[in-house]
Amino acid sequence: MRNQPAVTALLPAAGRGERFGSEQNKILSDLLGRPILAWTLEAFAQCDDITRIVLVGSEGDSDRLWELGDQYAKGKLQAVVLGGSTRQESVRRGLDAVGTEYVLVHDAARCCITTELISEAVGATRIHQAMTVVRTVTDTLMRRSGELVDRKDLMAVETPQGFQTDLLRRAHLSARTEGFIATDDASLLRRLGRGVHLLESTTPNPKITYAADLLIAVALLTARTAPQLVAPLPSE
Ligand code: C5P
């Protein structure tokens, strides 16, 4: 691993979290005694495959984000960048601070990320130059019109998503020039005809969107940090 090109974790954390229903940025809300973002930062800080961390935050949060970096990022926090009005714009701005060959973009709000999944994502990025974590869809799905969609054809697209950094920069530039907006980064490469490796995961990695999602995060993080407090899961 020592001779491998370095990898920056780029964590967009500048969302307003309107669906969460809190005055402050949701990633600063409490989760088991520390801010949601602290869990995300710690996972990336503990992963040896990650060299540096770039945080993208909202105006007014910068001091707090640096403080959390000092506390949880083990000296890996390199920059706190001011975000934009969309996730895509926030990532684009964050990319300006990335100086490594590879970048792993991960929603700061997915705070149950494990170091194991981060390492798998880095490995896949080095091999394929572009990857995303995906998950099999288990619900029955339909359009708002009522038409059913066959879930066999669908996957939920999550983060982390890893890229050769210049490849992602070019995809962002092209999207911006042509006014294309997506809710993730892999889509920006795919629209240019670039293949994106799919890393299927069964490790729960929910994005905290609604306040009730915190209950799921509490269970997942407690299972990891104090497994004696939760019933054992059936072995697979
Ligand atoms: O809005 P959404 O849930 O898709 O946000 C995913 C991630 O992107 C969150 O961590 C959020 O803080 C971040 N984000 C951002 N800038 C925005 C909107 C969202 O950094 N303008």
Side-chain angles (χ1 to χ4, degrees), residues 11-17 19 25-27 37 56-58 83-91 106-110 159 183-184 207-209:
L11 308 178
R16 276 170 304 174
R19 291 167 293 182
N25 186 343
K26 69 180 169 187
I27 48 110
L37 178 64
V56 186
S58 308
S85 59
T86 61
R87 180 191 181 281
Q88 183 170 316
E89 178 62 10
S90 292
V91 172
H106 180 69
D107 294 328
R110 292 187 191 271
T159 65
T183 49
D184 77 327
K207 182 168 65 178
I208 306 298
T209 305

Side-chain angles (χ1 to χ4, degrees), residues 24-39:
Q24 64 175 355
N25 186 343
K26 69 180 169 187
I27 48 110
L28 298 176
S29 297
D30 183 82
L31 172 57
L32 291 170
R34 44 154 94 161
I36 291 174
L37 178 64
W39 293 99

Side-chain angles (χ1 to χ4, degrees), residues 113-126:
I113 180 77
T114 61
T115 51
E116 291 80 10
L117 185 57
I118 297 169
S119 285
E120 275 185 65
V122 168
T125 304
R126 286 185 173 135

Side-chain angles (χ1 to χ4, degrees), residues 73-95:
K74 288 189 170 179
K76 289 186 184 179
L77 184 60
Q78 179 201 317
V80 174
V81 176
L82 183 62
S85 59
T86 61
R87 180 191 181 281
Q88 183 170 316
E89 178 62 10
S90 292
V91 172
R92 192 191 66 76
R93 292 184 184 191
L95 275 173

Side-chain angles (χ1 to χ4, degrees), residues 124-140:
T125 304
R126 286 185 173 135
I127 294 170
H128 302 283
Q129 313 298 302
M131 63 74 60
T132 178
V133 169
V134 292
R135 182 174 309 279
T136 295
V137 178
T138 54
D139 292 315
T140 296

